[in-house]
Amino acid sequence: MNLTLKIWRQKNKSDKGGFKDYKVSDVSKDMSFLEMLDVLNEQLSEKGEDPVHFDHDCREGICGMCSLYINGKPHGPLQTTTCQLHMRSFNDGETITIEPWRATAFPVMKDLVVDRSSFDRIMQAGGYVSVNTGGVPDANEIPIPKRIADEAFDAATCIGCGACVAACKNASAMLFTSAKISQLALLPQGQVERKERAERMIAQMDAEGFGACTNTGACSIECPKGISLTNIARMNREYFSAVVSSENV
Amino acid sequence: MSWVTKTLNSTLGKKLLMALTGLFLILFLVVHLAGNLQLLLPDEGESFNIYAQTMANNPIIRVVSIGNFAFILIHVIWSILLTRANKKARPVNYAVSKAGTNSTWASRNMGILGTVILLFLIIHLRGFWYEFKFGEIPTAVYDGVTYKNVFLIIAEAYSNIAYVAVYVVAMAFLAFHLSHGFASAFQTLGLNHVKYSPLIQKVGIGFAIIVPALFALIPIVMYIQSL
Ligand code: HEM
Ligand code: SF4
Ligand code: FES
């Protein structure tokens, strides 16, 4: 395949940035999207040009590091991570526009690399459980119904990629935050900090400058892990009941 | 900041106000529609005039109507606060966006839809509510009691095709606002449940079509009657 790539280039955080066009030829349909970018970068390196910077790590759809807003959608046309997207999803001769995630809370560091440490700070605000060290507890010591365990697990599959924020017209982090609150609120181990967690994680989410939720549902449709909107409803319940009943005046 | 103001200033608190005021306005629409449909009764406006005056004199309705104005105001002010904060969260837009593949147009344009509804509300209140309260209105006598004949004012207004067009178009915008807003308010309140959410979605769409359509029907029918 031969492709034209329209890629966002930006030297650093304060640079204005802009699109630049590149041609890549002889791309295999079986390449992943990131491998296609590797090919481009090799060409650029050989020419002595600055390669296109983009985030990636595991390249097997589990770490959440890869990003990219491809042809108007986060992670491209399929509901998957960019590392799991293959060039067979595109046509020969196509022009592909590649942009970084756009959000105040995800500043562009260079080219397509954005700083997602705002997610880390939301987690640090309450995305943990108090576990005392000591002997290893017996498995299944605390009975948890299968249905609840499954629901918590579904929420826990969120890989923190930020596609929900990228997809949302308000750059809202509600889907991410609600998944992280849900995975703990559903389990007995999460009860200790339950109210505090909802209050603190949401306060941090707001402080980072993410937008509010208009319930458009774009986040869930674009989420590579299919995190459901029921988590956002649960987060709202957690938050409203926490603020009226907690001792945090 | 106390916990109350802190909560109402949070993104979720702001949305809570939107959802509660939105649901109240939805309830108001039902009551308003039930009253207005009396305009179509073949009695030269007698039931409507009696109804309008009874409502205006009822102290409970008066309190509710002040509340209604307050709720519209809160809904509008908080929609501006939210829309501004949401814009600030994404200062640079995407060059290419396929938002149409992941969300409905109405859900992405609640602010535009709401603004048109607000413009309509201003025209509507100036035309009828203000006239009824402060204007010179002809009277009608039923069973020896004198009533303001608002029916005449309304019939006069609806004989003007431009006025009718404004109403019909505004109701289309209201329909789109509700097509997203109705179910959205329940989700905001955290009321999402496998058993009830599909029903809420369907009722929301039904409500968004039927209620604005009936509202729009009134000026259309009265225009035809005026010919
Ligand atoms: C009869 C009139 C109206 C009704 C019944 C109504 C109802 C609703 C409902 C139920 C919602 C959903 C709340 C939620 O998502 O939790 C909503 C959202 C909204 N309304 Fe209205 N509304 C009305 C008029 C207006 C007006 C006059 C404006 C503004 C100028 C407005 C602006 C908005 C906006 C911007 C949202 C979305 C807020 C967001 O989530 O970002 N509405 N409305
Ligand atoms: S909710 Fe989905 S889209 Fe959002 S960060 Fe988690 S995995 Fe990514
Ligand atoms: S690189 Fe790890 S999920 Fe894509």
Side-chain angles (χ1 to χ4, degrees):
Chain A
M1 308 167 74
N2 298 317
L3 300 165
T4 305
L5 303 175
K6 209 171 136 89
I7 301 180
W8 183 263
R9 301 297 315 251
Q10 184 172 334
K11 280 197 188 66
N12 51 44
K13 217 170 155 174
S14 46
D15 180 27
K16 235 180 93 234
F19 284 101
K20 224 180 141 183
D21 287 357
Y22 298 94
K23 296 243 183 264
V24 272
S25 39
D26 297 327
V27 172
S28 154
K29 283 206 177 282
D30 298 325
M31 278 180 184
S32 78
F33 198 84
L34 298 186
E35 282 164 342
M36 183 275 295
L37 287 178
D38 291 340
V39 171
L40 169 70
N41 276 347
E42 228 152 89
Q43 285 177 16
L44 292 179
S45 297
E46 274 165 19
K47 281 194 277 183
E49 286 179 37
D50 192 21
V52 177
H53 290 238
F54 59 88
D55 271 321
H56 63 108
D57 191 6
C58 71
R59 296 211 177 188
E60 51 187 28
I62 54 170
C63 75
M65 215 34 219
C66 58
S67 53
L68 308 186
Y69 206 80
I70 304 164
N71 276 352
K73 281 165 86 73
H75 293 306
L78 302 184
Q79 194 184 13
T80 184
T81 55
T82 300
C83 58
Q84 296 300 300
L85 176 70
H86 291 84
M87 297 316 293
R88 51 182 168 269
S89 296
F90 299 88
N91 300 316
D92 187 28
E94 198 174 335
T95 299
I96 305 176
T97 308
I98 311 173
E99 303 173 67
W101 283 176
R102 294 289 189 196
T104 303
F106 288 168
V108 176
M109 305 305 287
K110 186 172 169 61
D111 297 341
L112 303 167
V113 175
V114 297
D115 177 1
R116 280 169 280 184
S117 57
S118 46
F119 269 12
D120 300 339
R121 289 187 293 274
I122 293 176
M123 289 305 278
Q124 284 155 8
Y128 50 78
V129 290
S130 296
V131 179
N132 294 320
T133 50
V136 180
D138 279 343
N140 299 328
E141 195 174 28
I142 308 168
I144 302 168
K146 170 96 168 76
R147 195 183 59 75
I148 300 292
D150 284 351
E151 225 173 309
F153 185 81
D154 282 348
T157 58
C158 163
I159 53 177
C161 63
C164 43
V165 175
C168 177
K169 75 174 182 73
N170 307 335
S172 168
M174 299 275 175
L175 195 65
F176 165 80
T177 310
S178 72
K180 298 305 177 191
I181 287 179
S182 288
Q183 80 188 37
L184 298 173
L186 283 162
L187 297 176
Q189 291 88 339
Q191 301 313 302
V192 185
E193 290 106 343
R194 185 168 176 176
K195 291 178 188 172
E196 201 182 313
R197 174 181 308 116
E199 290 187 271
R200 293 182 54 173
M201 288 179 79
I202 284 156
Q204 189 61 38
M205 176 182 83
D206 288 353
E208 296 291 347
F210 290 106
C213 181
T214 303
N215 301 321
T216 69
C219 53
S220 183
I221 301 272
E222 301 292 1
C223 169
K225 301 297 160 183
I227 301 291
S228 148
L229 293 179
T230 52
N231 290 299
I232 297 185
R234 181 182 298 108
M235 172 176 73
N236 293 3
R237 292 197 298 275
E238 290 288 318
Y239 180 69
F240 297 139
S241 60
V243 289
V244 294
S245 68
S246 80
E247 261 128 60
N248 178 14
V249 188
Chain B
M1 262 197 302
S2 85
W3 66 272
V4 178
T5 49
K6 209 161 72 190
T7 305
L8 293 181
N9 267 320
S10 71
T11 45
L12 289 189
K14 288 194 189 106
K15 278 298 304 222
L16 179 67
L17 285 179
M18 286 304 286
L20 291 176
T21 51
L23 282 178
F24 179 87
L25 293 176
I26 282 174
L27 213 62
F28 167 75
L29 287 181
V30 177
V31 179
H32 194 29
L33 178 63
N36 283 14
L37 283 175
Q38 297 174 58
L39 285 165
L40 299 182
L41 292 176
D43 62 359
E44 303 288 307
E46 178 173 344
S47 353
F48 183 81
N49 285 339
I50 296 174
Y51 157 81
Q53 193 133 326
T54 318
M55 291 294 264
N57 292 339
N58 183 324
I60 298 174
I61 296 297
R62 277 199 179 142
V63 173
V64 174
S65 109
I66 292 169
N68 197 30
F69 275 112
F71 287 152
I72 292 177
L73 216 59
I74 293 174
H75 194 80
V76 170
I77 293 170
W78 261 261
S79 82
I80 296 169
L81 293 177
L82 272 169
T83 308
R84 270 179 43 193
N86 292 342
K87 275 257 173 309
K88 233 177 96 192
R90 155 96 29 85
V92 183
N93 278 323
Y94 294 109
V96 180
S97 170
K98 294 213 180 101
T101 59
N102 60 32
S103 51
T104 61
W105 182 85
S107 72
R108 280 177 278 121
N109 291 284
M110 292 297 276
I112 294 173
L113 292 167
T115 307
V116 175
I117 298 170
L118 181 64
L119 290 178
F120 164 77
L121 279 177
I122 294 168
I123 297 174
H124 176 59
L125 291 173
R126 172 65 192 88
F128 295 144
W129 177 82
Y130 182 85
E131 284 302 321
F132 183 68
K133 284 273 181 212
F134 306 109
E136 292 261 330
I137 294 187
T139 52
V141 180
Y142 308 118
D143 289 335
V145 187
T146 311
Y147 291 89
K148 287 185 178 177
N149 196 346
V150 245
F151 176 83
L152 268 188
I153 306 259
I154 296 171
E156 164 80 25
Y158 290 165
S159 65
N160 177 347
I161 185 80
Y163 215 82
V164 174
V166 167
Y167 269 69
V168 173
V169 170
M171 287 308 110
F173 279 81
L174 179 64
F176 278 103
H177 198 74
L178 292 173
S179 73
H180 176 68
F182 191 101
S184 176
F186 287 87
Q187 166 80 3
T188 300
L189 296 178
L191 302 173
N192 184 314
H193 192 280
V194 270
K195 277 189 186 149
Y196 309 112
S197 293
L199 184 70
I200 292 171
Q201 299 270 350
K202 287 195 193 88
V203 171
I205 297 296
F207 189 96
I209 295 171
I210 295 167
V211 171
L214 287 175
F215 268 118
L217 189 70
I218 298 168
I220 293 175
V221 169
M222 290 179 77
Y223 175 74
I224 294 169
Q225 283 169 351
S226 78
L227 294 177

